[in-house]
Amino acid sequence: MNAHRMPRAGWVVVAAGVLAIGWGLWQLVVVAPSATRPVAAAAWLAGALIVHDGVIAPVAVLVGLLLVRSLTPRSRRLVAVLAFVAVSLLVLALPGLLRP
Amino acid sequence: MIELPSARAVLHPVDEPFPPGAHDTRSAVTIGRLLGIAVAVAFVTGMISHLHQHPLGWLDLPSRPVWGYRVTQGLHVIAGIAAIPLLLAKLWVVYRHLFVWPPVRDAAHAVERLLLVPLVAGMLFEVTSGLLNVVRWYPWPFFFPRVHYGVAWMVVGSLAAHLAFKWWAVCGRIPEPVAAQPVLGDEPLASPGAAGAAGAAGAPDADRRALLIGALASTAAVTLATAGQTVPALHAISALKPRDPLAGPQGLAVNRTASAAGVRSAALDPGWQLTLAAGDRVTRFTLADLVAMPQQVARLPLACVEGWSAEAEWTGVPLRALLSAAGVPADAHLRAVSLERNWLYANSPLNPAQAWDPLTLLALRLDGEPLDLDHGYPLRLIGPNRPGVHQTKWLERIEVA
Ligand code: HEM
Ligand code: HEM
């Protein structure tokens, strides 16, 4: 897979990135925990990951599988493009529709 | 490489719907670049919003351009919403890497994969929380901006690392793949694209193109559907705009009503006065005093942190007229205080540039009419390049901070 390894200087960027992550974590956990509620925030972060990787993506894969098996490549591509646009608009509308 | 037929057999259906063109490195880079632009715009504009609301002691933001915050925060929500389909596309392109075998090749690979956790979780969180916030739905116990801010740093930090690890690909130097790059085993899969790579030449390209068209079309669709809350030319087109900035009393949206703020009686009290306090020098102005002063008319936008904005014509007394009359020092940082109590945004800061800007008004009228109670009657602050939460309504005091 990795035909090219990261250039050595890349580790400097990675280190800077880790510092930025640390700053974010510090803001989330230490600075004002009564406002950030670290446990709830962590649950939302983990929840977002689990729901996407465990539900949304597998469903998308299954739908893709159905399309691959039932349509010709040309029509599959057309359907996929249209479905993508429709789902994007649905995602956008959903909060307004579901909000209590 | 180790052949793991069992894992591969189990997961084979995961690869089948991934025509190689749409799930290879080139697609990851194409979609990644678009997503990267959206995230960069969202991060920079988000930080500008943060600096408006959490001024650094040594950095006073300028009071110009007049439309500054309107544009930056409007762009923030536009870029953030554009990032939603791009993020979904990006994750769909690379989802199969989640099942890469072996899961960790070496220490560097372990670091790379570990740092994908804050990247993916953080991005999903940013767009979800942002989207819920702009429809003003807060189904969490934390204070949205603070968490959104901390996670933004985690996202850009892990994105920087991601780009470093994928450096050659990001630069466009992509190892030429044979049709498919199998991740579950080491031989090309018998999917249509892979098997037919020679026969149906161009199929990977067609899938890559379809993916790009789908991503661009979705991004355009979500942008057109919402940007009209900021961009007047799109106002009529944007059917899904979270907020209509022109729907409200006097044709302008209101986030916090006088009833919600609990200021109705105080605001309608005929004995209302504005207090200007600089140390022990206190000056008071009745409504009649303010009405009798020279009035200025200015077209200024009201630009909410939630991204919606609209311009209106405001009439009132320039704050600087009061400041010079009361002898307030030119380098003082001020605070505008509302009649409202116990609300996070009841007061707002004014740095010297904002306080003395000739367009910073103590407004009495909106579009020629006296201010509606919900727009801050009897007196509200309105100034250029400020977030809406700082355009303090139902003013009671201006004081040296
Ligand atoms: C901003 C949010 C982004 C997220 C959440 C994200 C997520 C991911 C994930 C989860 C992978 C799979 C990595 C693996 O397991 O090895 C990946 C791969 C990759 N990403 Fe990103 N990415 C983002 C932005 C970008 C950007 C801005 C670029 C470049 C312009 C980029 C370029 C790549 C490349 C080249 C790969 C390798 C794909 C392959 O070899 O098939 N990504 N990304
Ligand atoms: C794409 C990744 C995103 C990043 C990196 C990001 C970053 C930020 C940052 C740094 C702030 C400033 C927070 C503060 O004042 O401390 C902010 C504010 C905000 N963001 Fe985002 N954001 C993203 C996506 C979104 C999305 C998708 C939306 C909405 C659709 C959104 C809506 C908002 C709103 C409404 C605020 C203002 C919060 C307030 O001051 O009350 N953001 N964002």
Side-chain angles (χ1 to χ4, degrees):
Chain A
M1 281 290 304
N2 255 10
H4 299 288
R5 292 197 71 88
M6 176 169 66
R8 279 200 167 272
W11 285 106
V12 179
V13 178
V14 174
V18 170
L19 279 181
I21 297 171
W23 170 254
L25 279 174
W26 168 266
Q27 294 291 321
L28 288 173
V29 179
V30 182
V31 172
S34 62
T36 51
R37 305 291 289 271
V39 176
W44 271 78
L45 281 163
L49 192 61
I50 291 166
V51 169
H52 177 271
D53 284 6
V55 181
I56 297 173
V59 167
V61 168
L62 283 180
V63 171
L65 189 64
L66 279 176
L67 295 185
V68 167
R69 291 200 173 157
S70 56
L71 299 173
T72 62
R74 274 182 75 94
S75 43
R76 164 173 57 77
R77 286 180 203 118
L78 181 65
V79 171
V81 167
L82 295 178
F84 189 7
V85 175
V87 167
S88 299
L89 289 172
L90 182 67
V91 168
L92 199 62
L94 224 45
L97 296 173
L98 296 181
R99 180 187 45 193
Chain B
M1 283 239 191
I2 316 150
E3 180 83 46
L4 278 165
S6 54
R8 189 175 172 207
V10 171
L11 288 169
H12 181 255
V14 175
D15 256 21
E16 188 186 336
F18 293 157
H23 299 274
D24 61 7
T25 312
R26 269 176 66 185
S27 286
V29 173
T30 308
I31 304 295
R33 283 181 180 156
L34 296 171
L35 179 59
I37 293 169
V39 175
V41 171
F43 183 74
V44 171
T45 51
M47 285 301 147
I48 291 172
S49 183
H50 181 83
L51 286 175
H52 273 287
Q53 298 184 61
H54 307 268
L56 299 172
W58 47 270
L59 177 66
D60 281 336
L61 291 184
S63 61
R64 299 295 176 99
V66 170
W67 39 263
Y69 190 78
R70 177 181 203 186
V71 168
T72 59
Q73 195 58 12
L75 258 181
H76 181 79
V77 172
I78 290 171
I81 286 178
I84 296 172
L86 294 172
L87 176 64
L88 292 176
K90 175 74 209 255
L91 294 177
W92 186 71
V93 170
V94 299
Y95 183 56
R96 61 192 193 116
H97 289 279
L98 189 58
F99 309 101
V100 72
W101 204 265
V104 171
R105 281 193 311 271
D106 52 33
H109 190 224
V111 175
E112 175 176 356
R113 294 205 82 193
L114 188 66
L115 291 178
L116 288 171
V117 176
L119 179 61
V120 179
M123 274 304 292
L124 289 167
F125 177 85
E126 288 298 80
V127 298
T128 310
S129 65
L131 200 55
L132 292 179
N133 183 78
V134 294
V135 302
R136 302 206 279 157
W137 180 11
Y138 313 99
W140 44 64
F142 43 76
F143 179 52
F144 161 79
R146 275 219 124 107
V147 177
H148 194 72
Y149 172 78
V151 175
W153 280 103
M154 294 173 56
V155 163
V156 289
S158 49
L159 181 56
H162 183 57
L163 294 180
F165 281 116
K166 305 293 186 201
W167 183 246
W168 297 113
V170 172
C171 295
R173 294 196 19 207
I174 295 162
E176 234 354 279
V178 269
Q181 299 178 327
V183 283
L184 306 173
D186 55 357
E187 46 188 275
L189 290 163
S191 62
D205 280 341
D207 279 313
R208 205 177 288 122
R209 211 177 311 120
L211 170 76
L212 183 59
I213 291 170
L216 289 176
S218 300
T219 306
V222 295
T223 305
L224 289 176
T226 52
Q229 68 167 348
T230 310
V231 182
L234 296 176
H235 182 264
I237 300 172
S238 294
L240 294 176
K241 52 183 173 298
R243 221 29 205 290
D244 181 350
L246 303 182
Q250 299 178 293
L252 186 63
V254 164
N255 257 20
R256 197 161 177 84
T257 62
S259 311
V263 297
R264 287 190 76 93
S265 55
L268 293 169
D269 180 353
W272 173 90
Q273 291 188 326
L274 175 74
T275 304
L276 182 59
D280 43 12
R281 252 182 320 183
V282 171
T283 323
R284 294 209 158 79
F285 302 85
T286 64
L287 195 51
D289 293 337
L290 292 165
V291 171
M293 293 179 74
Q295 304 286 307
Q296 168 149 353
V297 181
R299 290 199 67 82
L300 295 172
L302 186 65
C304 183
V305 288
E306 290 155 15
W308 59 265
S309 58
E311 199 178 83
E313 185 191 281
W314 305 89
T315 308
V317 183
L319 175 59
R320 61 185 297 164
L322 268 64
L323 298 181
S324 46
V328 174
D331 59 353
H333 283 74
L334 306 180
R335 182 160 47 229
V337 181
S338 172
L339 288 170
E340 184 175 9
R341 306 270 175 252
N342 304 323
W343 186 47
L344 185 65
Y345 298 112
N347 305 336
S348 69
L350 285 148
N351 67 37
Q354 294 167 331
W356 291 87
D357 190 298
L359 290 183
T360 297
L361 303 184
L362 302 174
L364 294 156
R365 303 174 88 82
L366 164 52
D367 287 335
E369 303 285 316
L371 281 179
D372 189 277
L373 190 55
D374 286 339
H375 282 305
Y377 177 88
L379 191 70
R380 85 171 297 167
L381 184 68
I382 183 96
N385 192 21
R386 285 166 75 72
V389 285
H390 284 182
Q391 312 281 26
T392 306
K393 301 197 273 191
W394 314 293
L395 279 176
E396 183 187 41
R397 266 170 93 80
I398 307 279
E399 59 192 25
V400 171

